[in-house]
Amino acid sequence: MTETILRLLTRLSEAGDDAILPGELAAPFFGPVFDRLLAKRIVVEQAPLSDWEVCDACECGLPFRPIRKVGDAFRAECPFDHRQDIELTKDDLRVFRIGAAALASVIGAAAGFGAAPELAAENVWHLGDTPSGRAVFLAMEPAALTGDGIIASLRQAAQGADITILAPKLPPETAQRHQDAGFHLVETLAVLIPASDGLGVAIDVAALAPVPLAPVLRVRRATAEVQWDSRSVILSRQIFPVFERLLEKAMSRDQVASGAHVEGTTAREAKDLIRELRDAFKAAGFTDAESKALIMTVRGRGYRLGVVAADIVVED
Ligand SMILES: [Zn+2]
């Protein structure tokens, strides 16, 4: 894949707050696009370097070697061995800090989000919501997704919408935690594709939703049996009516059942009934995330089945 300056900046941003773009990596990109990045403060030029790392295995004992101006060029000199001197150009000495918030804003725009991203947690931005209603977040560095409260913070910012997180490759345990929460993880660099216009990148919004499994949900009323994703659950006579109330809503226009609707004529609270229903699916081998994907909470409104009417077959 052709390298673009924004892909390079995205990769370098994985270093977090200290992310910098060295002049030697920036130089091939100098030109009108780079000037626009400077103007938008996506890259912010810092004071030029005045020293350089010492040469490999050098015994000079210096922390750095000084850079000396030699005519129009510069030279990092080894006090021991001049064959180790490095000739540097003016561009090599330039250094740019990467403005994470400004970069987030460009990545959001590349995915077609009109509004500026909002900070949802430390170093995690809410880029916007897709036309199908997924809340899309961006984390530049893996560390931003490891905090204790991160799952709750993202849920709060998403306000009940399904969540997609654009992020660098995450450590397996961090990725697992987010997947268990029902979040869809997408590697930013996998979807940030070169484009010929603007700042040179685009994101296809279709790539931000999970590939739908589209399993058919099959319900047999007579036996209170529910089949989904090649597994089967027989619900108890107490809990099946709760499922039926969600089912009835799923087949209607507004697919969300309020808590009161879920409770029906039972004397029990909706959240307890929903938990019991999910537990029945888990007991049949569904993961916690799967049971919550099938019996979804719609924050502030109630509950719904995570299957559209077209994918539901009901038999008596
Ligand atoms: Zn040396």
Side-chain angles (χ1 to χ4, degrees):
M1 190 177 286
T2 324
E3 184 61 297
T4 72
I5 181 66
L6 283 167
R7 286 177 53 85
L8 175 62
L9 294 176
T10 301
R11 190 158 50 241
L12 293 171
S13 294
E14 293 176 20
D17 291 339
D18 300 328
I20 59 142
L21 169 67
E24 54 181 328
L25 293 183
F29 298 102
F30 287 159
V33 170
F34 197 84
D35 291 342
R36 265 184 283 162
L37 297 179
L38 280 166
K40 288 172 174 282
R41 299 185 67 77
I42 295 160
V43 288
V44 181
E45 184 146 20
Q46 310 291 290
L49 297 176
S50 56
D51 45 39
W52 200 258
E53 63 206 37
V54 295
C55 41
D56 290 342
C58 195
E59 291 173 352
C60 63
L62 294 174
F64 309 102
R65 43 182 159 167
I67 293 171
R68 228 159 54 84
K69 195 168 190 315
V70 184
D72 285 342
F74 297 84
R75 186 182 296 153
E77 295 181 333
C78 175
F80 277 12
D81 180 358
H82 280 293
R83 285 172 304 178
Q84 300 290 338
D85 289 356
I86 299 177
E87 302 295 330
L88 299 164
T89 66
K90 197 161 185 263
D91 285 343
D92 290 333
L93 304 186
R94 295 176 78 181
V95 57
F96 305 87
R97 188 170 51 75
I98 300 171
L103 182 56
S105 153
V106 172
I107 292 174
F113 298 120
E118 287 172 24
L119 208 54
E122 201 181 337
N123 288 324
V124 184
W125 287 268
H126 181 195
L127 297 182
D129 295 345
T130 66
S132 68
R134 298 189 75 83
V136 180
F137 295 89
L138 171 71
M140 294 292 185
E141 48 168 329
L145 294 174
T146 56
D148 275 345
I150 187 69
I151 304 275
S153 298
L154 297 188
R155 283 211 177 108
Q156 190 176 0
Q159 297 184 317
D162 290 340
I163 290 175
T164 290
I165 307 174
L166 289 166
K169 195 164 179 51
L170 299 177
E173 62 276 21
T174 306
Q176 188 64 50
R177 237 181 103 212
H178 286 272
Q179 279 156 3
D180 287 348
F183 300 171
H184 181 56
L185 293 171
V186 176
E187 238 179 277
T188 313
L189 285 172
V191 293
L192 198 61
I193 53 176
S196 53
D197 57 342
L199 290 170
V201 288
I203 291 175
D204 178 5
V205 168
L208 302 181
V211 177
L213 292 172
V216 169
L217 181 75
R218 192 175 290 273
V219 183
R220 288 200 185 88
R221 286 185 198 276
T223 51
E225 185 179 5
V226 181
Q227 284 182 348
W228 191 55
D229 202 14
S230 71
R231 275 162 294 184
S232 172
V233 183
I234 295 187
L235 296 172
S236 71
R237 283 294 160 195
Q238 288 73 40
I239 207 69
F240 186 63
V242 176
F243 185 82
E244 281 189 299
R245 289 194 279 274
L246 293 174
L247 188 62
E248 165 205 319
K249 275 289 181 184
M251 312 296 263
S252 75
R253 250 180 70 124
D254 176 23
Q255 295 166 2
V256 179
S258 66
H261 189 79
V262 168
E263 286 159 13
T265 55
T266 66
R268 300 182 54 199
E269 280 194 59
K271 65 177 169 59
D272 293 332
L273 293 167
I274 292 295
R275 188 174 52 230
E276 195 174 319
L277 189 52
R278 286 175 178 152
D279 283 347
F281 282 92
K282 284 194 268 183
F286 289 84
T287 65
D288 187 52
E290 285 169 335
S291 72
K292 284 175 179 157
L294 179 60
I295 314 292
M296 294 172 66
T297 300
V298 183
R299 202 155 288 251
R301 293 193 57 207
Y303 306 90
R304 57 167 294 175
L305 292 185
V307 181
V308 295
D311 290 331
I312 300 175
V313 178
V314 183
E315 299 165 17
D316 285 326

